[in-house]
Amino acid sequence: MVKNVYRDYIAPRSLTGKVVVITGAGSGIGKEMSIKFAKAGCIVVLLDLSLPAVDAVKAIIESDGGKAHAYVCDVTSPSTVYSVAASIKNEVGEVWCLVNNAGIVSGKSIFEVPDALASKTLAVNTESHFWTVKAFVPGMIEKNDGCVVTVASAAGLVGVAGLGDYCASKWGARGFNDALRLELRKMRKYGVKTLLVCPYFINTGMFDGVNGSNWPFGLILPMLQPTYVGDMIIKAVRRGQPELRMPRLMYVSDLLHFALPVWLKDLAFEIIGFSSSMDSFTQTRDTSK
């Protein structure tokens, strides 16, 4: 226990040579994290539905002297995840860090989202975590060393109109992370860390057209830049940090949830602009695959 405290807070761990698996690595924040983990010395395993996308990220990493492996993987299919995981263990080695990043957004209201798309959002953003954790984490448990990163969202802290399926999936991912952390603790596997990441809107194209907040609130709640988010995640992994919310203002959301009556909280959301933030959303991703 003392050794873990020293490593996490006094001497942050080195990532050199660590094998890191990242889902949804072909674009957006997944691509950004992949490049940054590689620069930190990790052997990065890129998972995505699109082989050309992960091959392109792999080429970027290798051109900078890093090490990367690319695999096509449908994270909603347990059998596919287990098969790819077996290949990774044979071809790359034991995984030290799993980053559950794959995600989709419909951008439609609860009454407009097609049933199949709502189910797919939950399957990609939440249910897939069961399959990836069962595939990769037992090896970490055996060594009592590793890290599981859950990329959730500020939409997993508060509800947002027009993001019903997405909010449900991110609240689910947040709950899954908490349960996993407690199960690891119950097993006394203190060396296997969990990191819950809850960022505000990130400027990756996933939320094109979104107006996050009205003036002047946009000054304190700006859309986050991928480089900043990637840097913060790497830093949190090095420290063994259990939770990361961006911007820091997101840490007060729990306090406001308990301190304010519902009607006042809803009014505040309307004034800030959260309730209408998705009105100008433009879908730029293919959610049919």
Side-chain angles (χ1 to χ4, degrees):
M1 191 70 161
V2 173
K3 179 182 178 181
N4 289 335
V5 171
Y6 175 81
R7 180 184 63 187
D8 296 340
Y9 299 102
I10 300 175
R13 72 190 76 193
S14 168
L15 300 181
T16 303
K18 304 290 190 183
V19 178
V20 178
V21 170
I22 303 176
T23 67
S27 62
I29 192 60
K31 175 181 177 181
E32 189 71 28
M33 284 190 291
S34 298
I35 294 171
K36 289 188 179 296
F37 269 113
K39 287 183 177 179
C42 297
I43 301 168
V44 183
V45 180
L46 314 164
L47 303 188
D48 202 282
L49 275 176
S50 170
L51 183 59
V54 284
D55 275 344
V57 178
K58 180 174 180 284
I60 292 172
I61 291 172
E62 291 179 338
S63 68
D64 198 33
K67 297 180 180 179
H69 302 262
Y71 294 84
V72 172
C73 183
D74 177 4
V75 294
T76 67
S77 167
S79 60
T80 300
V81 170
Y82 301 150
S83 175
V84 171
S87 296
I88 292 170
K89 290 173 186 177
N90 290 332
E91 298 166 13
V92 184
E94 282 294 335
V95 173
W96 178 80
C97 179
L98 166 65
V99 182
N100 278 320
N101 166 75
I104 62 172
V105 58
S106 70
K108 298 181 181 296
S109 77
I110 294 170
F111 305 102
E112 295 175 341
V113 62
D115 295 347
L117 184 52
S119 294
K120 184 176 181 180
T121 300
L122 292 167
V124 174
N125 298 4
T126 312
E127 292 175 14
S128 65
H129 296 200
F130 282 89
W131 326 138
T132 56
V133 163
K134 290 171 73 175
F136 294 109
V137 176
M140 303 179 198
I141 292 174
E142 185 176 341
K143 295 182 177 181
N144 193 24
D145 186 30
C147 181
V148 181
V149 180
T150 299
V151 180
S153 168
L157 303 172
V158 297
V160 181
L163 279 177
D165 54 341
Y166 188 78
C167 287
S169 71
K170 293 302 184 179
W171 279 79
R174 182 184 173 197
F176 180 85
N177 170 86
D178 286 358
L180 174 62
R181 184 187 71 248
L182 292 171
E183 288 193 14
L184 290 169
R185 183 175 180 83
K186 186 177 180 180
M187 289 186 281
R188 300 187 182 279
K189 299 299 179 179
Y190 302 117
V192 183
K193 307 296 184 181
T194 62
L195 169 61
L196 175 66
V197 182
C198 294
Y200 190 56
F201 294 120
I202 308 174
N203 188 21
T204 60
M206 188 175 187
F207 285 96
D208 271 5
V210 165
N211 179 26
S213 53
N214 296 330
W215 189 91
F217 301 103
L219 299 176
I220 57 174
L221 281 174
M223 185 166 279
L224 300 171
Q225 296 306 312
T227 298
Y228 167 75
V229 174
D231 285 339
M232 293 299 290
I233 291 173
I234 297 291
K235 186 181 295 185
V237 169
R238 286 186 184 277
R239 291 176 173 174
Q241 189 172 325
E243 189 165 341
L244 174 64
R245 299 186 186 185
M246 297 171 280
R248 290 186 178 278
L249 188 61
M250 290 294 106
Y251 284 103
V252 306
S253 63
D254 292 336
L255 176 63
L256 295 178
H257 177 74
F258 291 107
L260 297 181
V262 173
W263 70 267
L264 185 55
K265 184 174 65 175
D266 292 350
L267 179 61
F269 275 24
E270 291 176 2
I271 294 173
I272 294 172
F274 287 165
S275 296
S276 57
S277 59
M278 291 298 294
D279 291 355
S280 53
F281 170 74
T282 302
Q283 180 61 269
T284 60
R285 306 289 178 88
D286 184 2
T287 57
S288 63
K289 294 180 182 179

